[in-house]
Amino acid sequence: MALIPRPQSPGWDDVIDSVDRRLQYIGAQARLNSSQCDHRRGQYATLPTGLGFGGGRTEPGHYANSAHNARLMDEFLNDQAVQLVARFVDAGLQTLFPKLHRFLENLLEKILVDNPDLKRMFAGCCYGACHVNLLSAWTRPHQDYFNILFAMCCAFSVGNFDHTRGGHLIAWEFGVVTEFPPGTAIFLPSAWVTHANVPIESHERRSSIAFFMSSGLARWYHNGYMSDKSFQELATDRQLQSWKEARSKLWEVGLEMLLPDS
């Protein structure tokens, strides 16, 4: 787990304010159903974008939105301020966890080459997908178990709230509670660490962008561009044994990904 503070470079306050306005606009304009506003992560509006695999898909694809919300998310992806934040997040991961960064970047490139109809979410960012969490977002204790087990997901916070009194990130297994001010980024292995936010006041506003990589994409690539089900149906006994051994040692691979370059 690691926190990157708000950048002090000239112009970054304008970037963060622009991202905040973009997320306010999406929150005001989005057409949302009840499941998008009250879900296992909390009672707040959320929309996905980017690439994933699983949940009934037969191959990797874009996260689905209604035509109206898809237009909002396309505008979000094309927003120059949002793109700067995505590159800031990418640079943070590359600095802190260079092996993991190379793994995610290579995985994303392989998926895109194999599926030319798919679009990369952000140029210069190794994450395949993100959720935008809107307006008064604070989460219940949860794990994001559809993400790659050993990957560091990243949350970037914006809004107008007193970060000394609310919005803190809690990582339960680590025993950590940390302030999470607007304009900062936190890297967390969200697939296995239970995490949540401290509520904000009713008059305050807090949004976030949660960057992640679907574990389904990693399984698809590892299986030779097919699902677990298809691989197990087609594999020889020897291939299946090797596959099971590789899965049993996944925690070792993941630990190595989190170590610095030697």
Side-chain angles (χ1 to χ4, degrees):
M1 177 175 169
L3 183 145
I4 299 181
R6 186 184 183 112
Q8 299 302 310
S9 304
W12 261 100
D13 285 349
D14 292 337
V15 169
I16 294 166
D17 289 344
S18 181
V19 173
D20 184 24
R21 289 194 299 273
R22 172 62 64 182
L23 296 183
Q24 288 182 65
Y25 176 76
I26 296 173
Q29 297 297 320
R31 298 172 185 170
L32 302 166
N33 59 42
S34 59
S35 66
Q36 293 169 307
C37 299
D38 188 356
H39 39 87
R40 68 180 185 85
R41 294 182 179 88
Q43 289 183 313
Y44 60 88
T46 184
L47 286 172
T49 188
L51 307 176
F53 176 69
R57 294 183 182 90
T58 58
E59 59 185 23
H62 298 104
Y63 284 100
N65 285 298
S66 68
H68 175 82
N69 291 343
R71 178 182 60 78
L72 295 176
M73 296 309 292
D74 285 343
E75 293 172 354
F76 165 80
L77 294 177
N78 291 323
D79 188 305
Q80 291 186 351
V82 174
Q83 292 179 33
L84 285 171
V85 167
R87 291 197 289 274
F88 166 71
V89 164
D90 182 88
L93 185 71
Q94 187 171 17
T95 299
L96 295 168
F97 304 101
K99 293 179 181 178
L100 176 60
H101 180 274
R102 288 195 295 271
F103 169 80
L104 295 182
E105 177 64 31
N106 291 337
L107 172 61
L108 184 56
E109 285 295 327
K110 296 291 187 182
I111 294 295
L112 292 171
V113 167
D114 185 58
N115 300 269
D117 292 336
L118 299 182
K119 297 179 181 179
R120 189 184 186 110
M121 183 171 61
F122 296 113
C125 182
C126 67
Y127 287 103
C130 69
H131 274 93
V132 294
N133 305 313
L134 303 166
L135 301 182
S136 59
W138 57 271
T139 62
R140 304 179 178 119
H142 69 283
Q143 296 174 342
D144 297 308
Y145 42 73
F146 290 116
N147 300 347
I148 293 177
L149 178 65
F150 53 80
M152 290 286 179
C153 303
C154 182
F156 185 85
S157 174
V158 296
N160 183 10
F161 62 97
D162 184 350
H163 67 272
T164 67
R165 296 175 62 86
H168 300 63
L169 180 79
I170 306 169
W172 294 93
E173 285 81 0
F174 291 159
V176 170
V177 179
T178 183
E179 292 180 1
F180 194 3
T184 61
I186 286 182
F187 292 92
L188 179 77
S190 66
W192 64 269
V193 171
T194 306
H195 53 288
N197 294 108
V198 174
I200 58 174
E201 298 290 341
S202 59
H203 65 277
E204 294 180 322
R205 182 185 72 253
R206 179 185 180 276
S207 299
S208 66
I209 308 172
F211 297 83
F212 65 96
M213 184 73 84
S214 163
S215 61
L217 294 178
R219 292 195 300 272
W220 176 270
Y221 173 67
H222 181 256
N223 293 337
Y225 304 106
M226 66 182 75
S227 67
D228 283 357
K229 182 176 183 293
S230 294
F231 181 86
Q232 291 178 80
E233 289 174 349
L234 297 172
T236 65
D237 289 344
R238 185 174 181 179
Q239 288 172 329
L240 192 57
Q241 181 63 30
S242 296
W243 182 84
K244 290 179 179 179
E245 289 177 1
R247 289 293 176 91
S248 70
K249 296 179 181 178
L250 187 60
W251 70 271
E252 297 178 6
V253 175
L255 181 60
E256 175 63 26
M257 293 282 184
L258 300 178
L259 297 176
D261 283 334
S262 54

